[in-house]
Amino acid sequence: MIDFRSDTVTTPSDEMRAAARDAPVGDDVYRDDPTVNELEARAAELVGTEAALYVPSGTMGNQIAIRTHTDRGQELLCDEQAHVYKWELGGIPQLSGVQPRIVDCGERCVPTPGQVREGYVEEDLHRPGTGLLCLENTHNSRGGVAVPKADIDAAADAAHDLDVPVHLDGARFLNACVALDVDPAEMAERLDSVMFCLSKGLGAPVGSVLAGSEAFIERARRTRKLFGGAMRQAGLIAAPALRALDNVDRLVEDHEHAARLATGLNDIDGLSAPAPDTNIVMVNTEAAGLTGEALSAACKERDVTFHAFDDHTCRLCTHLDVDGDDVEEGLARIEAAVDEA
Ligand SMILES: *Cc1c(COP(=O)(O)O)cnc(C)c1O
């Protein structure tokens, strides 16, 4: 099976499995796990923050950040296609008692300073007040877009002028930094917190990191406990995650594979795919007379798997476990599926 469903499907390398076996561990709730401590220190250094916290998933990292930054009854401002709003089971109201206020950020993927000011709600007797601006980079639902640092900074500055903190859902933050050739610490410099996933393009079996100031991470540590995410001998999963941090530079290969995939899809009659910024390819199936579901089903019969994203779009993702040959073979099978459908 050639698996383009997501970069979450990678399985740990032999080196990662060996690292897990040999990891020194302790009770991380007592801060006694040297491997977790090392992972948190390295992650904080990578994104240029004072501290970082290892969390079981990206979703939990985002929701911990939201709960930690806000008070119940406040509002959170984000793009209408944001993962925190769209794909986290309504966690914003469920877990933090916070009301999302969405704006359509279009191709820019993050709000303009004007949209931040318009979306901002000042606290008074009747209005709840805006507690957080949440940005996303790369932007998943908008096609793995790498949002330039200037647009992130402009949104963050506008929020800070209103005393609103800024969290970045950076599940694929390092893909963005590699694609834009910007140092992660520079990319994160105006943000109050950043979450990035170890278990996507970097290939770790489990986990994400939430990074921010020491004071913020101290409070986030309590929220992690509240959400049931405080783990004990977590060094067993932090050790392969540490190895995953060595995979940052090779993300460029995933981006090259995605670019080749898009070119090849465009060469198939009836399919069109815009050139991707990173490792996510969105392909439109309408001119082939196929729904996204129909294409995905026909390809699955040929042992190529990916998801339909909406009526006439499929989403394909490249990652550590697909190489250049898989991309070529995948394209040949997709072409055969379209021809026969
Ligand atoms: C995958 C993803 C998450 C959530 O990560 P999980 O580890 O799957 O919970 C959050 N935000 C974005 C943009 C993502 O792509």
Side-chain angles (χ1 to χ4, degrees):
M1 184 69 83
I2 302 174
D3 196 341
F4 293 120
R5 285 174 302 169
S6 175
D7 47 9
T8 55
V9 301
T10 57
T11 52
S13 61
D14 290 344
E15 199 199 0
M16 285 180 180
R17 289 171 191 270
R21 187 193 56 216
D22 297 337
V25 296
D27 189 333
D28 182 50
V29 173
Y30 297 130
R31 321 267 294 251
D32 279 351
D33 191 302
T35 310
V36 172
N37 292 341
E38 185 187 344
L39 175 66
E40 293 178 343
R42 261 189 75 188
E45 193 188 331
L46 179 66
V47 297
T49 57
E50 287 174 357
L53 187 68
Y54 185 42
V55 293
S57 71
T59 300
M60 193 188 284
N62 282 333
Q63 295 298 329
I64 287 172
I66 293 165
R67 177 69 181 247
T68 306
H69 280 299
T70 59
D71 294 323
R72 294 187 85 74
Q74 286 189 310
E75 289 196 1
L76 175 155
L77 188 64
C78 67
D79 177 38
E80 64 181 28
Q81 296 293 329
H83 194 283
V84 290
Y85 172 68
K86 215 180 153 185
W87 302 113
E88 297 186 11
L89 290 167
I92 298 168
Q94 290 217 68
L95 301 172
S96 295
V98 163
Q99 162 167 290
R101 179 177 292 266
I102 53 170
V103 285
D104 180 359
C105 297
E107 282 178 9
R108 187 181 165 100
C109 298
V110 296
T112 62
Q115 283 179 313
V116 172
R117 288 188 286 270
E118 268 167 45
Y120 170 73
V121 168
E122 193 176 349
E123 182 187 322
D124 66 16
L125 183 60
H126 303 284
R127 308 192 77 197
T130 301
L132 185 65
L133 171 66
C134 192
L135 308 175
E136 186 171 320
N137 199 13
T138 64
H139 199 300
N140 183 345
S141 290
R142 293 192 185 274
V145 176
V147 182
K149 174 175 157 56
D151 293 351
I152 298 283
D153 287 355
D157 288 350
H160 289 152
D161 285 346
L162 298 161
D163 278 333
V164 173
V166 184
H167 170 70
L168 180 80
D169 173 357
R172 297 183 182 81
F173 179 63
L174 296 161
N175 292 80
C177 295
V178 165
L180 297 165
D181 197 20
V182 178
D183 181 75
E186 233 174 273
M187 188 67 120
E189 72 188 344
R190 314 267 179 104
L191 304 166
D192 298 286
S193 56
V194 180
M195 184 285 290
F196 68 93
C197 289
L198 299 156
S199 61
K200 291 190 171 170
L202 301 181
V206 183
S208 295
V209 162
L210 177 62
S213 71
E214 213 145 290
F216 173 78
I217 293 299
E218 274 313 302
R219 290 191 297 125
R221 195 176 284 281
R222 297 188 79 230
T223 313
R224 184 183 67 174
K225 181 72 180 159
L226 173 68
F227 288 0
M231 298 177 283
R232 302 296 181 173
Q233 284 71 33
L236 287 184
I237 49 175
L242 266 166
R243 301 286 89 72
L245 287 178
D246 297 333
N247 286 333
V248 175
D249 290 338
R250 68 146 302 285
L251 290 172
V252 77
E253 287 172 39
D254 294 347
H255 301 173
E256 285 163 9
H257 291 151
R260 168 63 194 132
L261 199 52
T263 310
L265 289 166
N266 275 318
D267 287 342
I268 298 171
D269 243 5
L271 300 186
S272 58
D277 282 356
T278 57
N279 69 328
I280 294 174
V281 177
M282 297 291 212
V283 56
N284 189 293
T285 60
E286 199 159 11
L290 289 170
T291 61
E293 289 291 356
L295 179 66
S296 130
C299 290
K300 190 148 187 214
E301 280 177 24
R302 287 174 168 77
D303 286 337
V304 182
T305 183
F306 50 84
H307 290 301
F309 183 78
D310 60 27
D311 285 357
H312 291 104
T313 314
C314 291
R315 194 191 91 144
L316 288 77
C317 201
T318 57
H319 51 79
L320 256 170
D321 291 0
V322 291
D323 62 17
D325 291 343
D326 293 327
V327 170
E328 298 306 328
E329 179 60 28
L331 283 167
R333 293 188 201 171
I334 294 168
E335 182 162 28
V338 172
D339 280 350
E340 238 173 68

